[in-house]
Structure formats: C-alpha cells, structure tokens
PDB file of all heavy atoms in Angstrom:
ATOM      1  N   GLN A  17      21.342 -16.007  14.788  1.00 97.00           N
ATOM      2  CA  GLN A  17      20.719 -15.435  13.595  1.00 97.00           C
ATOM      3  C   GLN A  17      20.314 -13.998  13.945  1.00 97.00           C
ATOM      4  O   GLN A  17      19.280 -13.729  14.541  1.00 97.00           O
ATOM      5  CB  GLN A  17      19.411 -16.285  13.249  1.00 97.00           C
ATOM      6  CG  GLN A  17      19.720 -17.700  12.810  1.00 97.00           C
ATOM      7  CD  GLN A  17      18.455 -18.558  12.754  1.00 97.00           C
ATOM      8  OE1 GLN A  17      17.393 -18.300  13.387  1.00 97.00           O
ATOM      9  NE2 GLN A  17      18.627 -19.672  12.090  1.00 97.00           N
ATOM     10  N   SER A  18      21.146 -13.087  13.390  1.00 96.00           N
ATOM     11  CA  SER A  18      20.955 -11.647  13.685  1.00 96.00           C
ATOM     12  C   SER A  18      20.193 -10.959  12.538  1.00 96.00           C
ATOM     13  O   SER A  18      19.746  -9.860  12.746  1.00 96.00           O
ATOM     14  CB  SER A  18      22.218 -10.983  14.010  1.00 96.00           C
ATOM     15  OG  SER A  18      23.163 -11.138  12.903  1.00 96.00           O
ATOM     16  N   ARG A  19      20.223 -11.615  11.415  1.00 98.00           N
ATOM     17  CA  ARG A  19      19.514 -10.931  10.214  1.00 98.00           C
ATOM     18  C   ARG A  19      18.157 -11.572  10.176  1.00 98.00           C
ATOM     19  O   ARG A  19      17.911 -12.684   9.593  1.00 98.00           O
ATOM     20  CB  ARG A  19      20.365 -11.244   8.923  1.00 98.00           C
ATOM     21  CG  ARG A  19      21.800 -10.600   9.036  1.00 98.00           C
ATOM     22  CD  ARG A  19      22.443 -10.664   7.663  1.00 98.00           C
ATOM     23  NE  ARG A  19      22.470 -11.975   7.078  1.00 98.00           N
ATOM     24  CZ  ARG A  19      23.468 -12.926   7.364  1.00 98.00           C
ATOM     25  NH1 ARG A  19      24.447 -12.634   8.239  1.00 98.00           N
ATOM     26  NH2 ARG A  19      23.471 -14.038   6.774  1.00 98.00           N
ATOM     27  N   ILE A  20      17.213 -10.840  10.667  1.00 98.00           N
ATOM     28  CA  ILE A  20      15.769 -11.273  10.814  1.00 98.00           C
ATOM     29  C   ILE A  20      14.899 -10.402   9.924  1.00 98.00           C
ATOM     30  O   ILE A  20      15.106  -9.194   9.880  1.00 98.00           O
ATOM     31  CB  ILE A  20      15.266 -11.233  12.185  1.00 98.00           C
ATOM     32  CG1 ILE A  20      16.223 -12.151  13.056  1.00 98.00           C
ATOM     33  CG2 ILE A  20      13.859 -11.677  12.322  1.00 98.00           C
ATOM     34  CD1 ILE A  20      15.924 -11.990  14.577  1.00 98.00           C
ATOM     35  N   ALA A  21      13.989 -11.035   9.209  1.00 98.00           N
ATOM     36  CA  ALA A  21      13.005 -10.240   8.357  1.00 98.00           C
ATOM     37  C   ALA A  21      11.571 -10.721   8.840  1.00 98.00           C
ATOM     38  O   ALA A  21      11.500 -11.694   9.512  1.00 98.00           O
ATOM     39  CB  ALA A  21      13.195 -10.592   6.937  1.00 98.00           C
ATOM     40  N   VAL A  22      10.630  -9.937   8.437  1.00 98.00           N
ATOM     41  CA  VAL A  22       9.230 -10.163   8.842  1.00 98.00           C
ATOM     42  C   VAL A  22       8.373 -10.113   7.529  1.00 98.00           C
ATOM     43  O   VAL A  22       8.458  -9.267   6.721  1.00 98.00           O
ATOM     44  CB  VAL A  22       8.674  -9.177   9.802  1.00 98.00           C
ATOM     45  CG1 VAL A  22       7.189  -9.276   9.846  1.00 98.00           C
ATOM     46  CG2 VAL A  22       9.282  -9.390  11.229  1.00 98.00           C
ATOM     47  N   PHE A  23       7.635 -11.222   7.360  1.00 98.00           N
ATOM     48  CA  PHE A  23       6.540 -11.264   6.362  1.00 98.00           C
ATOM     49  C   PHE A  23       5.198 -11.213   7.028  1.00 98.00           C
ATOM     50  O   PHE A  23       4.945 -12.068   7.916  1.00 98.00           O
ATOM     51  CB  PHE A  23       6.697 -12.610   5.523  1.00 98.00           C
ATOM     52  CG  PHE A  23       5.573 -12.897   4.557  1.00 98.00           C
ATOM     53  CD1 PHE A  23       5.541 -12.283   3.348  1.00 98.00           C
ATOM     54  CD2 PHE A  23       4.560 -13.698   5.054  1.00 98.00           C
ATOM     55  CE1 PHE A  23       4.413 -12.567   2.480  1.00 98.00           C
ATOM     56  CE2 PHE A  23       3.415 -13.944   4.173  1.00 98.00           C
ATOM     57  CZ  PHE A  23       3.416 -13.481   2.961  1.00 98.00           C
ATOM     58  N   ALA A  24       4.372 -10.243   6.629  1.00 98.00           N
ATOM     59  CA  ALA A  24       3.128 -10.119   7.354  1.00 98.00           C
ATOM     60  C   ALA A  24       1.930  -9.810   6.338  1.00 98.00           C
ATOM     61  O   ALA A  24       2.175  -9.234   5.329  1.00 98.00           O
ATOM     62  CB  ALA A  24       3.200  -8.961   8.397  1.00 98.00           C
ATOM     63  N   GLU A  25       0.807 -10.355   6.714  1.00 97.00           N
ATOM     64  CA  GLU A  25      -0.426  -9.955   6.025  1.00 97.00           C
ATOM     65  C   GLU A  25      -0.850  -8.477   6.265  1.00 97.00           C
ATOM     66  O   GLU A  25      -0.538  -7.953   7.360  1.00 97.00           O
ATOM     67  CB  GLU A  25      -1.583 -10.890   6.340  1.00 97.00           C
ATOM     68  CG  GLU A  25      -1.392 -12.227   5.778  1.00 97.00           C
ATOM     69  CD  GLU A  25      -2.622 -13.123   6.117  1.00 97.00           C
ATOM     70  OE1 GLU A  25      -3.099 -13.227   7.189  1.00 97.00           O
ATOM     71  OE2 GLU A  25      -3.030 -13.894   5.046  1.00 97.00           O
ATOM     72  N   ASP A  26      -1.249  -7.854   5.207  1.00 97.00           N
ATOM     73  CA  ASP A  26      -1.530  -6.380   5.315  1.00 97.00           C
ATOM     74  C   ASP A  26      -2.864  -6.195   6.034  1.00 97.00           C
ATOM     75  O   ASP A  26      -3.952  -5.857   5.446  1.00 97.00           O
ATOM     76  CB  ASP A  26      -1.612  -5.799   3.933  1.00 97.00           C
ATOM     77  CG  ASP A  26      -1.615  -4.275   3.998  1.00 97.00           C
ATOM     78  OD1 ASP A  26      -1.445  -3.736   5.100  1.00 97.00           O
ATOM     79  OD2 ASP A  26      -1.750  -3.718   2.919  1.00 97.00           O
ATOM     80  N   ASP A  27      -2.893  -6.523   7.334  1.00 96.00           N
ATOM     81  CA  ASP A  27      -4.148  -6.230   8.163  1.00 96.00           C
ATOM     82  C   ASP A  27      -3.701  -5.886   9.610  1.00 96.00           C
ATOM     83  O   ASP A  27      -2.483  -5.799   9.913  1.00 96.00           O
ATOM     84  CB  ASP A  27      -5.047  -7.401   8.077  1.00 96.00           C
ATOM     85  CG  ASP A  27      -4.457  -8.742   8.700  1.00 96.00           C
ATOM     86  OD1 ASP A  27      -3.293  -8.688   9.165  1.00 96.00           O
ATOM     87  OD2 ASP A  27      -5.133  -9.784   8.602  1.00 96.00           O
ATOM     88  N   ALA A  28      -4.671  -5.779  10.522  1.00 96.00           N
ATOM     89  CA  ALA A  28      -4.346  -5.391  11.837  1.00 96.00           C
ATOM     90  C   ALA A  28      -3.387  -6.449  12.559  1.00 96.00           C
ATOM     91  O   ALA A  28      -2.515  -6.046  13.262  1.00 96.00           O
ATOM     92  CB  ALA A  28      -5.589  -5.221  12.616  1.00 96.00           C
ATOM     93  N   MET A  29      -3.678  -7.644  12.279  1.00 97.00           N
ATOM     94  CA  MET A  29      -2.772  -8.693  12.817  1.00 97.00           C
ATOM     95  C   MET A  29      -1.380  -8.597  12.351  1.00 97.00           C
ATOM     96  O   MET A  29      -0.457  -8.701  13.148  1.00 97.00           O
ATOM     97  CB  MET A  29      -3.360 -10.088  12.526  1.00 97.00           C
ATOM     98  CG  MET A  29      -2.507 -11.272  13.119  1.00 97.00           C
ATOM     99  SD  MET A  29      -3.126 -12.845  12.576  1.00 97.00           S
ATOM    100  CE  MET A  29      -2.566 -12.923  10.867  1.00 97.00           C
ATOM    101  N   GLY A  30      -1.179  -8.405  11.046  1.00 97.00           N
ATOM    102  CA  GLY A  30       0.077  -8.267  10.479  1.00 97.00           C
ATOM    103  C   GLY A  30       0.812  -7.128  11.090  1.00 97.00           C
ATOM    104  O   GLY A  30       2.035  -7.147  11.502  1.00 97.00           O
ATOM    105  N   ARG A  31       0.173  -5.952  11.244  1.00 98.00           N
ATOM    106  CA  ARG A  31       0.821  -4.775  11.729  1.00 98.00           C
ATOM    107  C   ARG A  31       1.116  -4.905  13.181  1.00 98.00           C
ATOM    108  O   ARG A  31       2.202  -4.429  13.615  1.00 98.00           O
ATOM    109  CB  ARG A  31      -0.150  -3.499  11.497  1.00 98.00           C
ATOM    110  CG  ARG A  31      -0.152  -3.166  10.005  1.00 98.00           C
ATOM    111  CD  ARG A  31      -0.987  -1.845   9.825  1.00 98.00           C
ATOM    112  NE  ARG A  31      -2.340  -2.078  10.021  1.00 98.00           N
ATOM    113  CZ  ARG A  31      -3.232  -2.450   9.033  1.00 98.00           C
ATOM    114  NH1 ARG A  31      -2.754  -2.746   7.840  1.00 98.00           N
ATOM    115  NH2 ARG A  31      -4.486  -2.602   9.325  1.00 98.00           N
ATOM    116  N   ALA A  32       0.229  -5.536  13.907  1.00 97.00           N
ATOM    117  CA  ALA A  32       0.516  -5.788  15.362  1.00 97.00           C
ATOM    118  C   ALA A  32       1.658  -6.702  15.615  1.00 97.00           C
ATOM    119  O   ALA A  32       2.456  -6.490  16.462  1.00 97.00           O
ATOM    120  CB  ALA A  32      -0.798  -6.298  16.057  1.00 97.00           C
ATOM    121  N   GLY A  33       1.784  -7.818  14.756  1.00 98.00           N
ATOM    122  CA  GLY A  33       2.825  -8.708  14.887  1.00 98.00           C
ATOM    123  C   GLY A  33       4.142  -8.033  14.553  1.00 98.00           C
ATOM    124  O   GLY A  33       5.190  -8.347  15.227  1.00 98.00           O
ATOM    125  N   LEU A  34       4.155  -7.263  13.447  1.00 98.00           N
ATOM    126  CA  LEU A  34       5.392  -6.573  13.086  1.00 98.00           C
ATOM    127  C   LEU A  34       5.889  -5.649  14.243  1.00 98.00           C
ATOM    128  O   LEU A  34       7.052  -5.605  14.579  1.00 98.00           O
ATOM    129  CB  LEU A  34       5.217  -5.810  11.831  1.00 98.00           C
ATOM    130  CG  LEU A  34       6.402  -4.858  11.389  1.00 98.00           C
ATOM    131  CD1 LEU A  34       7.610  -5.706  11.136  1.00 98.00           C
ATOM    132  CD2 LEU A  34       5.992  -4.087  10.121  1.00 98.00           C
ATOM    133  N   ALA A  35       4.963  -4.927  14.829  1.00 98.00           N
ATOM    134  CA  ALA A  35       5.321  -4.035  15.903  1.00 98.00           C
ATOM    135  C   ALA A  35       5.852  -4.766  17.068  1.00 98.00           C
ATOM    136  O   ALA A  35       6.833  -4.345  17.720  1.00 98.00           O
ATOM    137  CB  ALA A  35       4.092  -3.297  16.312  1.00 98.00           C
ATOM    138  N   ALA A  36       5.357  -5.965  17.308  1.00 98.00           N
ATOM    139  CA  ALA A  36       5.817  -6.802  18.483  1.00 98.00           C
ATOM    140  C   ALA A  36       7.218  -7.323  18.258  1.00 98.00           C
ATOM    141  O   ALA A  36       8.006  -7.348  19.132  1.00 98.00           O
ATOM    142  CB  ALA A  36       4.820  -8.002  18.666  1.00 98.00           C
ATOM    143  N   VAL A  37       7.544  -7.640  16.964  1.00 98.00           N
ATOM    144  CA  VAL A  37       8.804  -8.093  16.648  1.00 98.00           C
ATOM    145  C   VAL A  37       9.843  -7.020  16.792  1.00 98.00           C
ATOM    146  O   VAL A  37      10.913  -7.243  17.398  1.00 98.00           O
ATOM    147  CB  VAL A  37       8.896  -8.750  15.233  1.00 98.00           C
ATOM    148  CG1 VAL A  37      10.318  -9.017  14.801  1.00 98.00           C
ATOM    149  CG2 VAL A  37       8.128 -10.077  15.139  1.00 98.00           C
ATOM    150  N   ASN A  38       9.512  -5.798  16.262  1.00 98.00           N
ATOM    151  CA  ASN A  38      10.416  -4.690  16.446  1.00 98.00           C
ATOM    152  C   ASN A  38      10.655  -4.376  17.882  1.00 98.00           C
ATOM    153  O   ASN A  38      11.842  -4.045  18.238  1.00 98.00           O
ATOM    154  CB  ASN A  38       9.773  -3.491  15.646  1.00 98.00           C
ATOM    155  CG  ASN A  38      10.031  -3.503  14.180  1.00 98.00           C
ATOM    156  OD1 ASN A  38      11.129  -3.966  13.722  1.00 98.00           O
ATOM    157  ND2 ASN A  38       9.092  -3.069  13.381  1.00 98.00           N
ATOM    158  N   GLN A  39       9.652  -4.391  18.683  1.00 98.00           N
ATOM    159  CA  GLN A  39       9.842  -4.098  20.046  1.00 98.00           C
ATOM    160  C   GLN A  39      10.694  -5.185  20.797  1.00 98.00           C
ATOM    161  O   GLN A  39      11.573  -4.791  21.589  1.00 98.00           O
ATOM    162  CB  GLN A  39       8.436  -4.108  20.797  1.00 98.00           C
ATOM    163  CG  GLN A  39       8.544  -3.558  22.248  1.00 98.00           C
ATOM    164  CD  GLN A  39       9.104  -2.237  22.353  1.00 98.00           C
ATOM    165  OE1 GLN A  39       8.582  -1.251  21.776  1.00 98.00           O
ATOM    166  NE2 GLN A  39      10.141  -1.998  23.169  1.00 98.00           N
ATOM    167  N   ALA A  40      10.493  -6.407  20.416  1.00 98.00           N
ATOM    168  CA  ALA A  40      11.382  -7.498  20.923  1.00 98.00           C
ATOM    169  C   ALA A  40      12.791  -7.290  20.602  1.00 98.00           C
ATOM    170  O   ALA A  40      13.751  -7.469  21.414  1.00 98.00           O
ATOM    171  CB  ALA A  40      10.877  -8.845  20.550  1.00 98.00           C
ATOM    172  N   LEU A  41      13.138  -6.901  19.344  1.00 98.00           N
ATOM    173  CA  LEU A  41      14.473  -6.641  18.948  1.00 98.00           C
ATOM    174  C   LEU A  41      15.119  -5.510  19.789  1.00 98.00           C
ATOM    175  O   LEU A  41      16.241  -5.593  20.165  1.00 98.00           O
ATOM    176  CB  LEU A  41      14.498  -6.317  17.500  1.00 98.00           C
ATOM    177  CG  LEU A  41      14.233  -7.440  16.457  1.00 98.00           C
ATOM    178  CD1 LEU A  41      13.988  -6.824  15.048  1.00 98.00           C
ATOM    179  CD2 LEU A  41      15.383  -8.456  16.572  1.00 98.00           C
ATOM    180  N   MET A  42      14.292  -4.505  20.037  1.00 98.00           N
ATOM    181  CA  MET A  42      14.839  -3.408  20.883  1.00 98.00           C
ATOM    182  C   MET A  42      15.053  -3.795  22.276  1.00 98.00           C
ATOM    183  O   MET A  42      16.099  -3.550  22.936  1.00 98.00           O
ATOM    184  CB  MET A  42      13.854  -2.190  20.778  1.00 98.00           C
ATOM    185  CG  MET A  42      13.691  -1.553  19.499  1.00 98.00           C
ATOM    186  SD  MET A  42      12.433  -0.291  19.480  1.00 98.00           S
ATOM    187  CE  MET A  42      13.017   0.875  20.747  1.00 98.00           C
ATOM    188  N   ASP A  43      14.084  -4.619  22.905  1.00 97.00           N
ATOM    189  CA  ASP A  43      14.170  -5.061  24.230  1.00 97.00           C
ATOM    190  C   ASP A  43      15.403  -5.922  24.457  1.00 97.00           C
ATOM    191  O   ASP A  43      16.039  -5.911  25.516  1.00 97.00           O
ATOM    192  CB  ASP A  43      13.003  -5.643  24.660  1.00 97.00           C
ATOM    193  CG  ASP A  43      11.754  -4.636  24.773  1.00 97.00           C
ATOM    194  OD1 ASP A  43      12.098  -3.475  24.754  1.00 97.00           O
ATOM    195  OD2 ASP A  43      10.647  -5.035  24.938  1.00 97.00           O
ATOM    196  N   LEU A  44      15.647  -6.761  23.479  1.00 97.00           N
ATOM    197  CA  LEU A  44      16.778  -7.722  23.489  1.00 97.00           C
ATOM    198  C   LEU A  44      18.084  -7.079  23.077  1.00 97.00           C
ATOM    199  O   LEU A  44      19.122  -7.794  22.977  1.00 97.00           O
ATOM    200  CB  LEU A  44      16.409  -8.993  22.730  1.00 97.00           C
ATOM    201  CG  LEU A  44      15.337  -9.861  23.432  1.00 97.00           C
ATOM    202  CD1 LEU A  44      14.816 -10.926  22.357  1.00 97.00           C
ATOM    203  CD2 LEU A  44      15.962 -10.580  24.615  1.00 97.00           C
ATOM    204  N   LYS A  45      18.011  -5.893  22.643  1.00 97.00           N
ATOM    205  CA  LYS A  45      19.193  -5.159  22.193  1.00 97.00           C
ATOM    206  C   LYS A  45      19.887  -5.775  20.979  1.00 97.00           C
ATOM    207  O   LYS A  45      21.067  -5.991  20.966  1.00 97.00           O
ATOM    208  CB  LYS A  45      20.238  -4.881  23.333  1.00 97.00           C
ATOM    209  CG  LYS A  45      19.672  -3.940  24.430  1.00 97.00           C
ATOM    210  CD  LYS A  45      20.711  -3.824  25.554  1.00 97.00           C
ATOM    211  CE  LYS A  45      20.211  -2.856  26.488  1.00 97.00           C
ATOM    212  NZ  LYS A  45      18.898  -3.155  27.165  1.00 97.00           N
ATOM    213  N   LEU A  46      19.089  -6.160  20.045  1.00 97.00           N
ATOM    214  CA  LEU A  46      19.528  -6.871  18.803  1.00 97.00           C
ATOM    215  C   LEU A  46      19.332  -5.950  17.604  1.00 97.00           C
ATOM    216  O   LEU A  46      18.661  -4.966  17.656  1.00 97.00           O
ATOM    217  CB  LEU A  46      18.694  -8.150  18.592  1.00 97.00           C
ATOM    218  CG  LEU A  46      18.841  -9.247  19.711  1.00 97.00           C
ATOM    219  CD1 LEU A  46      17.751 -10.337  19.408  1.00 97.00           C
ATOM    220  CD2 LEU A  46      20.225  -9.767  19.660  1.00 97.00           C
ATOM    221  N   PRO A  47      20.069  -6.221  16.497  1.00 97.00           N
ATOM    222  CA  PRO A  47      19.986  -5.398  15.333  1.00 97.00           C
ATOM    223  C   PRO A  47      18.539  -5.289  14.837  1.00 97.00           C
ATOM    224  O   PRO A  47      17.762  -6.202  14.985  1.00 97.00           O
ATOM    225  CB  PRO A  47      20.892  -6.107  14.316  1.00 97.00           C
ATOM    226  CG  PRO A  47      21.828  -7.002  15.171  1.00 97.00           C
ATOM    227  CD  PRO A  47      21.018  -7.409  16.318  1.00 97.00           C
ATOM    228  N   PRO A  48      18.237  -4.183  14.209  1.00 98.00           N
ATOM    229  CA  PRO A  48      16.952  -4.047  13.567  1.00 98.00           C
ATOM    230  C   PRO A  48      16.674  -5.021  12.476  1.00 98.00           C
ATOM    231  O   PRO A  48      17.570  -5.703  11.952  1.00 98.00           O
ATOM    232  CB  PRO A  48      16.856  -2.605  13.053  1.00 98.00           C
ATOM    233  CG  PRO A  48      18.345  -2.263  12.786  1.00 98.00           C
ATOM    234  CD  PRO A  48      19.118  -3.070  13.868  1.00 98.00           C
ATOM    235  N   LEU A  49      15.441  -5.157  12.043  1.00 98.00           N
ATOM    236  CA  LEU A  49      15.076  -6.017  10.920  1.00 98.00           C
ATOM    237  C   LEU A  49      15.879  -5.668   9.678  1.00 98.00           C
ATOM    238  O   LEU A  49      16.085  -4.507   9.386  1.00 98.00           O
ATOM    239  CB  LEU A  49      13.535  -5.904  10.626  1.00 98.00           C
ATOM    240  CG  LEU A  49      12.579  -6.500  11.669  1.00 98.00           C
ATOM    241  CD1 LEU A  49      11.173  -6.140  11.324  1.00 98.00           C
ATOM    242  CD2 LEU A  49      12.770  -8.004  11.846  1.00 98.00           C
ATOM    243  N   VAL A  50      16.175  -6.724   8.892  1.00 98.00           N
ATOM    244  CA  VAL A  50      16.905  -6.382   7.680  1.00 98.00           C
ATOM    245  C   VAL A  50      15.833  -6.055   6.602  1.00 98.00           C
ATOM    246  O   VAL A  50      16.224  -5.400   5.528  1.00 98.00           O
ATOM    247  CB  VAL A  50      17.779  -7.600   7.116  1.00 98.00           C
ATOM    248  CG1 VAL A  50      18.859  -7.869   8.124  1.00 98.00           C
ATOM    249  CG2 VAL A  50      16.872  -8.910   6.986  1.00 98.00           C
ATOM    250  N   ALA A  51      14.650  -6.481   6.804  1.00 98.00           N
ATOM    251  CA  ALA A  51      13.548  -6.187   5.823  1.00 98.00           C
ATOM    252  C   ALA A  51      12.226  -6.609   6.504  1.00 98.00           C
ATOM    253  O   ALA A  51      12.128  -7.400   7.362  1.00 98.00           O
ATOM    254  CB  ALA A  51      13.695  -6.919   4.568  1.00 98.00           C
ATOM    255  N   SER A  52      11.131  -5.877   6.044  1.00 98.00           N
ATOM    256  CA  SER A  52       9.754  -6.277   6.322  1.00 98.00           C
ATOM    257  C   SER A  52       8.850  -5.955   5.235  1.00 98.00           C
ATOM    258  O   SER A  52       9.146  -5.004   4.506  1.00 98.00           O
ATOM    259  CB  SER A  52       9.252  -5.589   7.649  1.00 98.00           C
ATOM    260  OG  SER A  52       9.252  -4.178   7.356  1.00 98.00           O
ATOM    261  N   VAL A  53       7.843  -6.768   4.985  1.00 98.00           N
ATOM    262  CA  VAL A  53       6.957  -6.560   3.850  1.00 98.00           C
ATOM    263  C   VAL A  53       5.615  -7.094   4.142  1.00 98.00           C
ATOM    264  O   VAL A  53       5.429  -8.022   4.892  1.00 98.00           O
ATOM    265  CB  VAL A  53       7.515  -7.336   2.615  1.00 98.00           C
ATOM    266  CG1 VAL A  53       7.597  -8.818   2.865  1.00 98.00           C
ATOM    267  CG2 VAL A  53       6.715  -7.023   1.304  1.00 98.00           C
ATOM    268  N   PHE A  54       4.612  -6.290   3.656  1.00 98.00           N
ATOM    269  CA  PHE A  54       3.179  -6.768   3.809  1.00 98.00           C
ATOM    270  C   PHE A  54       2.694  -7.406   2.521  1.00 98.00           C
ATOM    271  O   PHE A  54       3.127  -6.987   1.469  1.00 98.00           O
ATOM    272  CB  PHE A  54       2.288  -5.569   4.152  1.00 98.00           C
ATOM    273  CG  PHE A  54       2.524  -4.979   5.537  1.00 98.00           C
ATOM    274  CD1 PHE A  54       3.140  -3.776   5.763  1.00 98.00           C
ATOM    275  CD2 PHE A  54       2.065  -5.669   6.628  1.00 98.00           C
ATOM    276  CE1 PHE A  54       3.351  -3.275   7.020  1.00 98.00           C
ATOM    277  CE2 PHE A  54       2.328  -5.243   7.928  1.00 98.00           C
ATOM    278  CZ  PHE A  54       2.835  -4.035   8.132  1.00 98.00           C
ATOM    279  N   SER A  55       1.876  -8.379   2.671  1.00 97.00           N
ATOM    280  CA  SER A  55       1.272  -9.078   1.462  1.00 97.00           C
ATOM    281  C   SER A  55      -0.235  -9.159   1.706  1.00 97.00           C
ATOM    282  O   SER A  55      -0.788  -9.040   2.749  1.00 97.00           O
ATOM    283  CB  SER A  55       1.885 -10.452   1.469  1.00 97.00           C
ATOM    284  OG  SER A  55       1.664 -11.080   0.237  1.00 97.00           O
TER     285      SER A  55
END
C-alpha cells in the first residue's frame, strides 16, 4: 500500500501525528502522502 493519506484533527496532536507520518515515509524511502487533511 504505497498510496497513503492522513486524516487529522486540527490541533497539536493532529499536526504532530501528520509530521510523524511524513517523517516515517521519508525514513522508509516510500512515496509521499497522496493527500492530507485537517478536520
């Protein structure tokens, strides 16, 4: 599953989680997120 998206609440937790996912994708040398959105 290389096409990954993130759904996050628009708060500190959501932003921190999104940053952690983006970093994991980079560290694992995987494609970037296809989309991310705050709610």
Side-chain angles (χ1 to χ4, degrees):
Q17 296 172 338
S18 59
R19 299 191 303 277
I20 301 171
V22 166
F23 168 83
E25 287 184 314
D26 191 8
D27 61 4
M29 180 183 75
R31 290 186 287 276
L34 173 60
V37 173
N38 278 324
Q39 187 62 55
L41 289 168
M42 292 176 59
D43 292 346
L44 289 165
K45 296 179 171 55
L46 295 172
L49 293 171
V50 296
S52 63
V53 62
F54 289 108
S55 194

